[in-house]
């Protein structure tokens, strides 16, 4: 699913650089990336999502070489093939839960909002346990409910890859295990691949594979 | 599909206070100059047109503006009085035709215009209902008076007492509405037209009361002789003229000395006008003769000077408000930076983000435009009354 070769990326402002000689993630794998703060975990997610173009090297996602795509094509690829789950959920408070879940469909021409999509959004919300809160504003939800809504938003376009950036970082211990289970279940159902960045070592045994960010530098993460 | 307007609407509906403030600010910026334009245009129309159609006005020496405003637009400020004899004197010159005016009293806030039936021909007034005033105590009301007071021919209208506390002052007269004028879009729409003698009845110069010769009430009669009866203020004055008491109405003294506020002089030609004006040049005469168009011209010059100042003030206020609005949008963008970053990360283009924000501006502008049009429609509908309230 993900294949990285000879990747080099540096922020022009502070000189922080990231080098990954070789790294791959097979389809369907649930991979956790751990590492100290500031080591570049979120940067890796942004590179894989095509938000940052690498300075050199290649990134392939689902067989598509991202840095060969034009901006518009890369954005369309991202919104249709990659789902994002953020630590702070990043829901829009002024939209209802249903509108938040359907939001990607309203901001791009690459996705078509049809009655079928609307039905699937409701089913997904039901599956995540927030089916009765679809008409409430996102700001009125609990932390756990917000993350469930955010996961629904990420999964609705049926992406091939889910990128989770500290997705359980703001949740209480009971909630984070439950949310992770729900995320895994949904990922399995859709046959997607999960690349999650986390600090939480308690969650690591649940992942199929764990990569320490330090291994990238030594080249042993392949 | 990009639902910019749906998302923008949701955001604006969620941030009600901000949205309402923005709409109010934009509406205000747009409405102020446009409404002012409507009112000034209407004032110009009302003032100039009527003035241009009134060749000359004769009145007591004093403020020419007060004379014109009272005689043409029935303004509250009453000029000095002249006598009925002055109207007769104009007619006697054979230079002009004279129409007397006595504009002093009000009926439920509307001016009572004492004149003659010639005024109807001069102003080309048409009756929408009823007949012209024919009897003492009858009135013809303007279209706006009729609609605002809900009156029609056959109804009654009371004149307003001049002061509530002056027991010996002007008593209200119950006038019968004889006719209603068709709309003229002029000051006549807001007037209560009566015969000048009816105006004198209101003033008490022409009056009717119980027959003192027949009265046996000793508390009313002060002195009685064979040729004369003197009564006190207890004598019952009639406040309504009816078929039964109309014969009791009479005047005291020489009617040529009865008051008028102005005489509209209609010269037969330009030469007659020039000669007539010359005759009133004498500053000791106690009279003045003015072409209303000249007086209104001076007034309009002042109004337009004020208009220029107002335009400049509005322009500065508008610019300041626009800058404030730009600041509000800029601050809003900063506050929403995280939201913008998120939707960008999800796969939205910068152009789409601009589209979303643009949709918000379009909705705000559309609401402001609708509100602005509504306010302007109301201003345009009531422009005559506004002009009267503001300028006359």
């Amino acid at each position: 699913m993900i294949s990285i070769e000879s990747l080099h990326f540096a922020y022009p402002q502070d000189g922080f650089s990231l080098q990954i000689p070789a790294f791959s993630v097979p389809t369907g794998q649930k991979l956790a990336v751990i590492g100290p703060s500031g080591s570049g975990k979120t940067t890796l997610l942004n590179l894989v999502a095509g938000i940052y173009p690498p300075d050199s090297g290649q990134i392939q996602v689902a067989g598509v070489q991202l840095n060969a795509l034009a901006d518009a094509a890369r954005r369309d690829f991202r919104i249709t093939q990659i789902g994002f789950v953020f630590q702070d959920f990043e829901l829009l408070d002024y939209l209802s839960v249903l509108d938040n879940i359907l939001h990607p469909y309203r901001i791009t021409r690459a996705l078509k909002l049809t009655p079928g999509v609307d039905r699937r959004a409701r089913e997904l919300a039901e599956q995540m346990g927030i089916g009765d809160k679809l008409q409430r504003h996102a700001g009125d939800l609990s932390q756990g409910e917000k993350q469930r809504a955010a996961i629904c938003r990420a999964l609705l376009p049926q992406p091939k890859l889910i990128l989770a950036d500290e997705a359980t970082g703001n949740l209480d211990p009971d909630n984070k295990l439950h949310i992770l289970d729900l995320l895994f279940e949904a990922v399995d159902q859709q046959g997607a691949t999960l690349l999650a960045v986390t600090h939480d070592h308690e969650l690591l045994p649940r992942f199929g594979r764990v990569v320490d960010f330090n291994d990238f530098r030594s080249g042993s993460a392949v | 599909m990009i639902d910019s307007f749906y998302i923008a609407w949701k955001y604006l509906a969620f941030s009600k206070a901000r949205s309402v403030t923005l709409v109010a600010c934009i509406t205000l910026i747009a409405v102020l100059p446009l409404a002012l334009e409507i009112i000034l245009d209407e004032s110009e129309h009302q003032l100039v047109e009527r003035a241009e159609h009134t060749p000359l006005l004769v009145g007591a020496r004093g403020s020419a503006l007060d004379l014109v405003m009272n005689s043409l637009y029935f303004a509250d400020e009453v000029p000095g009085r002249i006598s009925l004899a002055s109207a007769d004197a104009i007619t006697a010159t054979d230079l002009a035709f004279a129409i007397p005016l006595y504009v002093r009293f009000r009926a439920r806030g509307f001016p009572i215009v004492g004149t003659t039936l010639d005024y109807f021909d001069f102003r080309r007034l048409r009756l929408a209902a009823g007949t012209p005033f024919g009897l003492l105590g009858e009135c013809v009301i303007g279209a706006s008076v009729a609609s605002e007071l809900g009156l029609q021919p056959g109804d009654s209208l009371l004149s307003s007492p001049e002061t509530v506390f002056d027991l010996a002052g002007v008593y209200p007269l119950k006038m019968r509405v004889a006719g209603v004028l068709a709309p003229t879009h002029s000051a006549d729409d807001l007037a209560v037209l009566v015969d000048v003698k009816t105006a004198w009845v209101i003033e008490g110069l022409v009056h009717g009361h119980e027959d003192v010769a027949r009265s046996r009430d000793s508390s009313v009669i002060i002195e009685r002789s064979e040729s004369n009866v003197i009564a006190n203020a207890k004598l019952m004055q009639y406040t309504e003229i009816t078929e039964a008491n109309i014969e009791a109405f009479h005047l005291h003294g020489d009617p040529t000395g009865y008051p008028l506020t102005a005489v509209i002089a209609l010269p037969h030609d330009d030469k007659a006008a020039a000669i007539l004006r010359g005759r009133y040049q004498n500053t000791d005469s106690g009279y003045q003769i003015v072409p209303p168009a000249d007086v209104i011209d001076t007034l309009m010059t002042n109004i337009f000077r004020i208009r220029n100042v107002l335009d400049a003030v509005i322009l500065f206020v508008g610019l300041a408000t626009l800058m404030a609005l730009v600041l509000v949008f800029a601050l809003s963008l900063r506050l929403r930076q995280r939201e913008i970053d998120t939707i960008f990360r999800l796969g939205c283009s910068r152009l789409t983000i601009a589209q979303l924000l643009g949709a918000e501006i379009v909705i705000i502008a559309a609401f402001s435009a609708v509100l602005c049009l509504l306010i302007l429609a109301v201003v345009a509908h009531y422009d005559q009354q506004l002009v009267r309230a503001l300028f006359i």
Side-chain angles (χ1 to χ4, degrees):
Chain A
M1 168 57 60
I2 304 172
S3 171
I4 296 175
E5 281 178 30
S6 311
L7 177 77
H8 177 261
F9 174 80
Y11 285 104
Q13 301 95 332
D14 58 9
F16 172 84
S17 68
L18 181 66
Q19 290 191 47
I20 301 175
F23 176 60
S24 64
V25 181
T27 301
Q29 191 169 65
K30 297 183 198 70
L31 170 72
V33 176
I34 57 169
S37 294
S39 57
K41 301 187 295 292
T42 300
T43 304
L44 173 66
L45 293 189
N46 287 334
L47 283 162
V48 170
I51 295 170
Y52 297 159
D55 296 332
S56 62
Q58 287 181 2
I59 303 172
Q60 274 193 12
V61 175
V64 175
Q65 196 170 319
L66 291 184
N67 40 336
L69 294 177
D71 278 356
R74 204 161 57 235
R75 278 198 303 273
D76 287 351
F77 180 81
R78 184 158 76 240
I79 205 160
T80 54
Q81 305 298 328
I82 299 173
F84 254 108
V85 184
F86 306 100
Q87 179 177 0
D88 293 323
F89 330 121
E90 307 296 356
L91 298 173
L92 304 178
D93 285 349
Y94 59 85
L95 294 180
S96 68
V97 172
L98 181 61
D99 281 336
N100 263 291
I101 296 171
L102 294 170
H103 193 229
Y105 285 82
R106 292 203 163 102
I107 56 172
T108 181
R109 290 192 175 86
L111 296 170
K112 300 274 176 275
L113 180 52
T114 60
V117 171
D118 186 87
R119 197 172 52 247
R120 210 169 63 243
R122 291 168 193 275
E123 286 167 3
L124 208 51
E126 206 64 56
Q127 188 186 328
M128 287 283 170
I130 53 169
D132 57 339
K133 299 190 168 60
L134 287 173
Q135 298 311 321
R136 288 171 63 175
H137 277 112
D140 298 337
L141 300 181
S142 68
Q143 301 289 85
E145 288 166 342
K146 282 181 183 174
Q147 196 57 297
R148 290 170 206 222
I151 291 171
C152 289
R153 178 179 65 188
L155 292 171
L156 186 62
Q158 296 177 307
K160 293 189 173 75
L161 174 64
I162 305 288
L163 300 175
D165 191 356
E166 302 283 5
T168 56
N170 273 340
L171 303 178
D172 58 71
D174 287 344
N175 239 330
K176 69 183 174 190
L177 291 174
H178 185 56
I179 296 285
L180 197 66
D181 285 343
L182 286 172
L183 179 60
F184 280 8
E185 199 182 315
V187 165
D188 283 340
Q189 270 181 12
Q190 295 200 0
T193 303
L194 176 67
L195 174 54
V197 162
T198 182
H199 272 111
D200 195 338
H201 287 253
E202 197 187 327
L203 302 177
L204 297 181
R206 294 174 176 252
F207 285 88
R209 180 183 167 199
V210 176
V211 170
D212 188 334
F213 217 78
N214 293 319
D215 295 343
F216 283 128
R217 298 179 193 279
S218 63
S220 60
V222 177
Chain B
M1 184 174 81
I2 298 176
D3 273 351
S4 317
F5 283 95
Y6 179 83
I7 297 169
W9 171 249
K10 290 282 176 181
Y11 177 74
L12 295 172
F14 187 75
S15 325
K16 286 187 189 70
R18 173 187 172 275
S19 308
V20 168
T21 307
L22 285 172
V23 167
C25 287
I26 295 171
T27 304
L28 207 61
I29 295 174
V31 154
L32 272 177
L34 294 174
L36 197 66
E37 193 74 23
I38 290 173
I39 290 170
L40 288 176
D41 282 351
E42 176 59 24
S43 65
E44 187 179 352
H45 170 75
Q46 276 194 27
L47 294 172
V48 172
E49 196 189 33
R50 206 165 164 85
E52 283 177 348
H53 285 90
T54 311
L56 290 170
L57 267 182
V58 177
R61 192 160 286 282
S63 164
L65 185 62
D66 282 354
L67 176 66
V68 171
M69 297 307 279
N70 177 267
S71 306
L72 269 63
Y73 315 106
F74 317 133
D76 293 339
E77 201 64 48
V78 182
R81 314 290 196 277
I82 56 173
S83 65
L84 180 63
S86 48
D88 295 340
I90 293 169
T91 307
T93 61
D94 210 22
L95 295 169
F97 184 72
I99 300 173
L101 284 176
Y102 193 41
V103 187
R104 177 184 160 189
F105 303 106
R106 307 250 143 198
R108 294 176 67 180
F110 296 100
I112 295 173
V113 180
T115 185
T116 61
L117 289 174
D118 296 326
Y119 184 82
F120 286 70
D121 296 333
F122 167 60
R123 292 282 184 219
R124 292 177 187 163
L125 302 178
R126 285 187 310 102
L127 287 165
T131 59
F133 49 75
L135 295 170
L136 205 60
E138 284 186 341
C139 65
V140 172
I141 55 176
S144 301
V145 180
S147 64
E148 283 186 37
L149 301 182
L151 294 175
Q152 55 187 357
D155 291 340
S156 300
L157 179 61
L158 268 184
S159 68
S160 310
E162 279 199 314
T163 81
V164 179
F165 304 107
D166 182 9
L167 294 177
V170 172
Y171 281 83
L173 176 70
K174 191 175 179 183
M175 296 174 289
R176 183 183 158 273
V177 177
V180 175
L181 292 178
T184 60
H185 305 290
S186 73
D188 293 319
D189 285 349
L190 297 156
V192 177
L193 300 169
V194 297
D195 187 276
V196 69
K197 291 187 213 64
T198 301
W200 292 334
V201 171
I202 296 169
E203 185 153 357
L205 297 170
V206 175
H207 63 191
H209 48 73
E210 61 177 312
D211 189 349
V212 287
R214 292 181 187 171
S215 178
R216 294 287 167 242
D217 186 348
S218 57
S219 64
V220 173
I221 306 301
I222 297 171
E223 190 184 317
R224 187 190 295 271
S225 66
E226 277 191 15
S227 60
N228 198 24
V229 181
I230 302 172
N232 63 20
K234 194 182 171 190
L235 183 72
M236 194 185 78
Q237 301 271 342
Y238 297 127
T239 54
E240 183 181 3
I241 301 166
T242 62
E243 282 181 22
N245 68 17
I246 193 164
E247 295 298 330
F249 277 80
H250 55 278
L251 47 88
H252 292 273
D254 178 10
T256 57
Y258 278 18
L260 298 175
T261 47
V263 175
I264 298 172
L266 309 174
H268 302 313
D269 50 39
D270 289 348
K271 185 181 171 188
I275 296 169
L276 194 64
R277 288 183 72 180
R279 293 196 181 173
Y280 285 90
Q281 290 300 314
N282 181 1
T283 51
D284 299 331
S285 68
Y287 292 99
Q288 62 175 332
I289 186 163
V290 292
D294 291 357
V295 177
I296 292 303
D297 220 31
T298 312
L299 178 69
M300 293 313 295
T301 309
N302 290 327
I303 288 177
F304 283 109
R305 205 170 291 151
I306 295 167
R307 183 185 199 163
N308 289 339
V309 174
L310 275 176
D311 283 348
V313 169
I314 287 169
L315 183 71
F316 280 115
V317 172
L319 280 175
T321 314
L322 272 180
M323 283 164 71
L325 289 176
V326 170
L327 188 69
V328 167
F329 274 110
L331 287 174
S332 165
L333 280 185
R334 284 189 69 173
L335 285 171
R336 297 171 69 187
Q337 193 55 51
R338 191 165 169 161
E339 171 194 335
I340 291 168
D341 287 346
T342 301
I343 56 179
F344 178 69
R345 287 180 82 183
L346 289 176
C348 185
S349 70
R350 297 279 179 206
L351 183 69
T352 308
I353 291 168
Q355 225 173 301
L356 290 172
L357 298 172
E360 285 176 22
I361 294 170
V362 168
I363 292 173
I364 292 275
F367 266 91
S368 306
V370 169
L371 193 58
C372 182
L373 287 176
L374 282 176
I375 294 172
L376 290 178
V378 171
V379 170
H381 188 261
Y382 291 104
D383 57 355
Q384 282 185 52
Q385 286 89 333
L386 280 169
V387 165
R388 290 192 61 78
L390 292 171
F391 298 107
I392 298 172

